[in-house]
Structures are given as C-alpha cells and as structure tokens.
Amino acid sequence: MPDAASRDHRLGVVAMLFAVAVLCVMDACMKQLAGHYPPMQVAALRGAVGLPLVLAWALATTGLGPLFRVHWPLHLLRGVLGVLFLSCFVAGLRDLPMSTAYAISFVGPLLVTAMAVPLLREHVGPRRWTAIVVGILGVLVVLRPGGEGVLARPGLLVLLGTVCYAASVVTVRMLAQRDSAQALVFWFLGMVAVGAGLLAWPEWVPLRAADAWLLAGVAVSGTLGQVALTHAFRLGEASLIAPLEYTALVWVVLLDVVLWGVLPDGMTWLGAAIIVVSGLYLMRRERVVRGQVAPVQDTVP
C-alpha cells in the first residue's frame, strides 16, 4: 500500500507539472490573440473552442447524465465570475509581460483563503492572515504605486481578474462535493462562451484564418490542462500538489524571452518572490492546522 500511495503521489506531481506547463501555453496563445481581437471576444473564444473536447472527455468518462445534475445557481455565479476573470486577465495580459501578469495572479490562493472566512465559515488564524497581508504587499511591490511600475490599467485589470478568479475557486469548493469535475469544466466554458460572446457581439471582429492554429492551441492546451489538474488533485495530496502551481513562473519567463524578447525587472522578481513565499507558508500552515484538527474529529462518534 505505501508503494501504491507513493506511486500515486508521483503521478500527481507529474500531472500537476504538466498541467501548469500547458496552461501557460494556453495563456501565451490568448496573449497573441488579444493583439488582434477584443479581450471579451478572446474570452468567448476560450470557452467555445474548448467545449467540444471537454464534451468528448465527459462522454469517455462519466457520460452526459452528470452534466445536467448540477447546482445551477452556483454554476451561473461561477459563469459570471468566469467572464469577468477571463476578460480582465486577457485585457491586462495583452499589455503586460506574462511574467508580470502571473506574478500578480499568484496572489489568488491567498485571496481564496481570505474569502473562505466569510463565505465558507472557515477559521483562519493570525499566522495565515499575516501571510495573506504579506502576499498583498508583494503585489504592491509588483504594481509599484507612485513609481514606474504597472499600477495602471493593465496591472489593475489582472488584479481584478485575480479577485474574480479567487471568488470562482470558492464556488468550486462548494460545488466539488456535489458535481463532477466534467460538469464543472463543461458549464464553466459553456457559460463563458455564451456570456462573453453576447457581450462581445457588438464589436465582434471576424476571425482570421491565420489564427486557426492559435485557437487550436487554446482548445488543446486548455483541455489537457483541465484534465491533468483533475487527475493531479485526485492522485496527490493538495498540500503537495498546489505549491507546484508556482512553477508557472519558469514557463512564463521562458515564453516572454522566446516569443517577446522581454525579461521581468528586479522589482517584479522581488514582488513575485514575496507572493510565492507567502503562498507556500500559507499552504504549510493549512496543512499543520488540518493535522491538528483531524485527531479531534476522529474521536467524535
């Protein structure tokens, strides 16, 4: 049994590393698309091109039934948050290096923990609140208010998108106990495609044939990333898997250098380091707290 558990954890780590890498590729494709299409249209395309592959995934695993046995109000809320998240993130990503946008978005897990207090009635102790505050200070280092940073529309849009993303993750925590992973992904993409598509329709730009490979890249990498994420958290412990999300910084720096010839400056590196360290400490404290609570729960009849 220990050997099987160790093998599952290793497979979970590999799945998470793969998911992070391909999702970075997806974001690079969306950044390229954002140079030719409005952000809301890119968000709609993100949802639309991924739907057929996610539907195929559902058919091959759970079938269509679980897709319709869902908690609709929370799915609708998550769809609204998804439209805001993707459109804001794409709009900011269009004008920022990927490394800078990702450095700001790394505050997402910290915001999820903060939002879990009023929304999920979770208790967060002073050490974790300190990590959250320090992580937010790291975002300010990246944004550099009053300096020559990115405290302008692009940086603020990414930050707003990250807030919407964190709220969406909280809804996933509510939904994951009752709905399948396939339903979560399918309805998220479907609602984003419809909602963002309707909002983008008045300024819709005709698609160029030359961008077909970018759309295919978004569809394939986005679907592979979602499937890999699902398997990663199914096979490995969340406290082991979640910190691997920060490996995205390596990939986005490489993509920035190769595709756009830019490197993050020193303040971006410093802010990213503060946010990552805060996030890792927060995850460690959550693991410690769960370990302290579990024995007490086990004694309850």
Side-chain angles (χ1 to χ4, degrees), residues 73-98:
L74 280 178
H75 277 280
L76 289 170
L77 173 60
R78 186 168 176 246
V80 172
L81 291 170
V83 171
L84 292 172
F85 155 57
L86 278 173
S87 57
C88 289
F89 183 75
V90 170
L93 185 64
R94 178 183 57 191
D95 300 319
L96 289 175
M98 288 189 68

Side-chain angles (χ1 to χ4, degrees), residues 11 23 25 54 81 128 214 270 278:
L11 290 174
L23 289 174
V25 172
V54 173
L81 291 170
R128 285 184 285 173
L214 289 172
L270 176 60
S278 300

Side-chain angles (χ1 to χ4, degrees), residues 1-14 235-236:
M1 289 299 295
D3 290 341
S6 298
R7 183 173 63 252
D8 284 347
H9 284 314
R10 288 196 295 269
L11 290 174
V13 168
V14 171
L235 295 170

Side-chain angles (χ1 to χ4, degrees), residues 97-112:
M98 288 189 68
S99 51
T100 302
Y102 265 67
I104 298 170
S105 69
F106 281 159
V107 79
L110 302 171
L111 296 177
V112 170

Side-chain angles (χ1 to χ4, degrees), residues 39-45 83 87 190-201 204:
M40 195 67 73
Q41 182 174 344
V42 175
L45 292 171
V83 171
S87 57
M191 291 179 183
V192 167
V194 174
L198 290 174
L199 293 173
W201 189 252
W204 190 271

Side-chain angles (χ1 to χ4, degrees), residues 7-294:
R7 183 173 63 252
D8 284 347
H9 284 314
R10 288 196 295 269
L11 290 174
V13 168
V14 171
M16 185 62 176
L17 291 173
F18 175 77
V20 171
V22 296
L23 289 174
C24 288
V25 172
M26 180 194 73
D27 286 341
C29 292
M30 289 200 298
K31 179 176 173 65
Q32 291 282 66
L33 288 169
H36 303 287
Y37 306 99
M40 195 67 73
Q41 182 174 344
V42 175
L45 292 171
R46 160 69 184 106
V49 298
L51 273 176
L53 293 178
V54 173
L55 184 60
W57 174 38
L59 285 171
T61 51
T62 62
L64 293 181
L67 295 183
F68 298 95
R69 295 191 294 270
V70 297
H71 190 268
W72 290 110
L74 280 178
H75 277 280
L76 289 170
L77 173 60
R78 186 168 176 246
V80 172
L81 291 170
V83 171
L84 292 172
F85 155 57
L86 278 173
S87 57
C88 289
F89 183 75
V90 170
L93 185 64
R94 178 183 57 191
D95 300 319
L96 289 175
M98 288 189 68
S99 51
T100 302
Y102 265 67
I104 298 170
S105 69
F106 281 159
V107 79
L110 302 171
L111 296 177
V112 170
T113 300
M115 291 180 182
V117 174
L119 298 178
L120 300 179
R121 308 294 184 186
E122 294 184 6
H123 173 72
V124 175
R127 294 184 183 181
R128 285 184 285 173
W129 276 118
T130 300
I132 292 169
V133 172
V134 171
I136 292 172
L137 291 176
V139 173
L140 293 178
V141 171
V142 177
L143 295 176
R144 276 157 285 175
E148 297 180 356
V150 290
L151 185 55
R153 189 169 180 271
L156 293 176
L157 282 171
V158 172
L159 183 58
L160 175 59
T162 303
V163 173
C164 294
Y165 165 79
S168 176
V169 170
V170 174
T171 66
V172 171
R173 287 189 178 183
M174 300 177 186
L175 288 166
Q177 303 301 319
R178 63 184 84 185
D179 298 344
S180 68
Q182 290 84 346
L184 289 173
V185 178
F186 179 82
W187 290 115
F188 175 77
L189 293 181
M191 291 179 183
V192 167
V194 174
L198 290 174
L199 293 173
W201 189 252
E203 299 180 359
W204 190 271
V205 176
L207 299 180
R208 308 184 312 170
D211 294 327
W213 69 277
L214 289 172
L215 294 171
V218 169
V220 174
S221 58
T223 303
L224 288 177
Q226 293 288 350
V227 173
L229 277 176
T230 301
H231 285 293
F233 283 99
R234 180 174 59 84
L235 295 170
E237 294 181 4
S239 58
L240 173 67
I241 298 301
L244 297 175
E245 180 181 351
Y246 293 122
T247 61
L249 191 58
V250 176
W251 293 110
V252 295
V253 169
L254 288 174
L255 288 167
D256 272 342
V257 172
V258 173
L259 298 179
W260 296 283
V262 297
L263 271 174
D265 59 19
M267 294 300 288
T268 299
W269 280 116
L270 176 60
I274 293 172
I275 297 167
V276 169
V277 170
S278 300
L280 292 175
Y281 178 77
L282 180 71
M283 293 172 191
R284 178 182 177 278
R285 283 301 305 169
E286 288 181 344
R287 185 175 186 178
V288 170
V289 170
R290 283 198 302 270
Q292 293 172 343
V293 172

